[in-house]
């Protein structure tokens, strides 16, 4: 399951590269406020569960932990770099972009993934958990958007097969590593197999040509909130405990785990929808009662 899910972390950055980040004060503030609000919701849940401890220091640690999380820092850093990347992309032809991406991932695989896993020396790629790694994914997303090469114009089932094939290869590599007592894990976000898996899944969905479907946009719009809630916020402890319980007490565990993940997504998406509706109503009310300047 991990072999199929790990590529989903990269999708958020691939989508950003595909559409291009245009950083504005409002969008950055919304990103920061989403993190702040979902950490607050998670803190309320820990209080209800009786795990809220040390008062203000617990609150401060929770917010500092969320805003210093590698994904949050890396994505905010990517937003800061996006104007430079966008300007470079506008002046770079497709062939040069492809060559740069190839060189980027050869270099990053060697020095940011394999060497890091072996020697554990601090390098800027950090197995894909860094701003520099996000730059590579951003460029891959931009390349997919251009759709200039024949291998980007295959049938959608080809990319679904590539996605599944990469998942199988990851399992095979992980199993082989265990057999030979190797400590290098294939589950790094900058592993070329994981990057290809992520790109293949993303291209598959672009081939579906679903267009503007409101309910899908609502669900997709809560993806970042789901990530913050289950992985970055204080509720991560409950997520890990429940996943461990499912693994130990159900056989097969996969169907139950999938139901649990769907339940989390439905909960977060529902709360997120209500939250945005409430904010929208408040704005409408403020606009209605605000004195006219005319």
């Amino acid at each position: 399951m991990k072999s199929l899910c790990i590529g989903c972390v990269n999708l958020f950055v691939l989508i950003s590269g595909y559409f291009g980040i245009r950083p504005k004060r409002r969008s950055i503030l919304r990103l920061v406020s989403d993190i702040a609000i979902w950490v607050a919701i998670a803190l309320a849940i820990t209080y209800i569960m009786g795990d809220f401890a040390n008062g203000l220091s617990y609150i401060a640690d929770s917010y500092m932990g969320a805003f210093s999380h590698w994904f949050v820092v890396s994505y905010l850093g990517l937003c800061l770099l996006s104007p430079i990347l966008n300007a470079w992309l506008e002046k770079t032809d497709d062939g040069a972009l492809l060559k740069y991406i190839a060189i980027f991932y050869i270099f990053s695989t060697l020095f940011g993934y394999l060497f890091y896993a072996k020697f554990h020396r601090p390098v800027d790629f950090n197995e894909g958990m860094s701003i520099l790694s996000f730059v590579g994914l951003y460029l891959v997303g931009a390349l997919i958007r251009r759709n200039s090469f024949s291998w980007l114009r295959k049938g959608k089932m080809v990319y679904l097969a590539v996605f599944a094939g990469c998942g199988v290869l990851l399992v095979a590599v992980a199993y082989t590593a265990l057999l030979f007592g190797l400590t290098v894990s294939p589950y790094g976000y900058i592993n070329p197999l994981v990057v290809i898996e992520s790109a293949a899944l993303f291209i598959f969905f672009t081939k579906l040509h679903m267009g503007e479907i409101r309910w899908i946009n609502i669900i997709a719009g809560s993806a970042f909130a789901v990530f913050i809630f289950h992985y970055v916020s204080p509720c991560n402890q409950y997520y890990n405990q429940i996943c461990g319980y499912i693994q130990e007490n159900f056989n097969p565990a996969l169907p139950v785990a999938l139901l649990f993940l769907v339940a989390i997504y439905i909960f977060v998406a529902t709360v997120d929808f209500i939250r945005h509706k409430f904010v929208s109503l408040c704005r409408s009310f403020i606009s209605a009662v605000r004195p006219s300047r005319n």
Side-chain angles (χ1 to χ4, degrees):
M1 185 174 178
K2 184 176 182 180
S3 297
L4 294 176
C5 293
I6 188 171
C8 297
V9 175
N10 292 340
L11 283 178
F12 195 77
V13 187
L14 287 173
I15 293 170
S16 299
Y18 186 85
F19 291 105
I21 297 175
R22 301 292 185 269
K24 297 179 181 179
R25 183 178 63 179
R26 184 175 179 179
S27 60
I28 298 297
L29 286 176
R30 180 175 178 177
L31 187 69
V32 172
S33 65
D34 281 351
I35 298 170
I37 289 170
W38 276 103
V39 170
I41 292 172
L43 285 170
I45 292 174
T46 60
Y47 181 80
I48 294 170
M49 297 294 292
D51 294 322
F52 192 91
N54 300 323
L56 291 176
S57 64
Y58 183 69
I59 295 173
D61 289 343
S62 298
Y63 275 102
M64 289 176 66
F67 281 102
S68 62
H69 188 273
W70 70 265
F71 187 94
V72 175
V73 173
S74 298
Y75 193 77
L76 288 174
L78 181 64
C79 290
L80 293 175
L81 291 175
S82 61
I84 300 172
L85 295 172
N86 294 338
W88 181 77
L89 285 167
E90 289 176 1
K91 299 177 181 179
T92 305
D93 61 67
D94 301 334
L97 177 58
L98 179 61
K99 290 177 183 177
Y100 181 84
I101 289 173
I103 294 170
F104 179 93
Y105 278 104
I106 291 171
F107 183 87
S108 65
T109 301
L110 287 174
F111 297 101
Y113 180 58
L114 296 177
F115 286 8
Y116 177 84
K118 177 65 176 176
F119 301 108
H120 298 286
R121 293 174 181 169
V123 287
D124 292 333
F125 288 101
N126 193 26
E127 295 186 301
M129 298 179 287
S130 67
I131 298 172
L132 189 54
S133 301
F134 276 20
V135 168
L137 291 170
Y138 188 85
L139 297 179
V140 172
L143 183 69
I144 294 172
R145 175 78 176 190
R146 296 186 179 189
N147 199 30
S148 302
F149 301 97
S150 59
W151 47 270
L152 288 171
R153 296 194 291 269
K154 303 295 184 181
K156 58 180 177 291
M157 297 310 296
V158 172
Y159 301 103
L160 187 61
V162 172
F163 166 73
C166 288
V168 172
L169 281 174
L170 284 170
V171 173
V173 172
Y175 180 73
T176 304
L178 286 174
L179 285 179
F180 288 92
L182 300 176
T183 57
V184 178
S185 170
Y187 299 110
Y189 298 118
I190 208 168
N191 182 343
L193 275 178
V194 175
V195 174
I196 293 171
E197 180 185 62
S198 304
L201 182 61
F202 178 57
I203 296 171
F204 168 76
F205 278 106
T206 63
K207 299 293 181 181
L208 295 179
H209 302 294
M210 291 184 291
E212 291 290 330
I213 302 177
R214 188 168 181 269
W215 67 270
I216 290 180
N217 289 337
I218 291 173
I219 294 174
S222 298
F224 184 70
V226 172
F227 174 77
I228 294 299
F229 179 71
H230 92 280
Y231 194 66
V232 176
S233 80
C235 281
N236 175 253
Q237 59 181 315
Y238 305 130
Y239 171 79
N240 290 332
Q241 289 170 7
I242 294 173
C243 285
Y245 179 83
I246 292 172
Q247 186 174 2
E248 292 176 4
N249 293 277
F250 292 91
N251 187 21
L254 181 59
V256 182
L258 289 175
L259 286 174
F260 172 57
L261 295 176
V262 170
I264 291 177
Y265 210 110
I266 291 173
F267 168 74
V268 175
T270 302
V271 174
D272 221 30
F273 179 77
I274 294 171
R275 179 171 69 88
H276 288 305
K277 281 293 184 183
F278 178 75
V279 172
S280 179
L281 287 173
C282 289
R283 286 175 178 170
S284 299
F285 176 77
I286 292 171
S287 299
V289 300
R290 181 182 293 171
S292 176
R293 295 183 179 180
N294 296 330

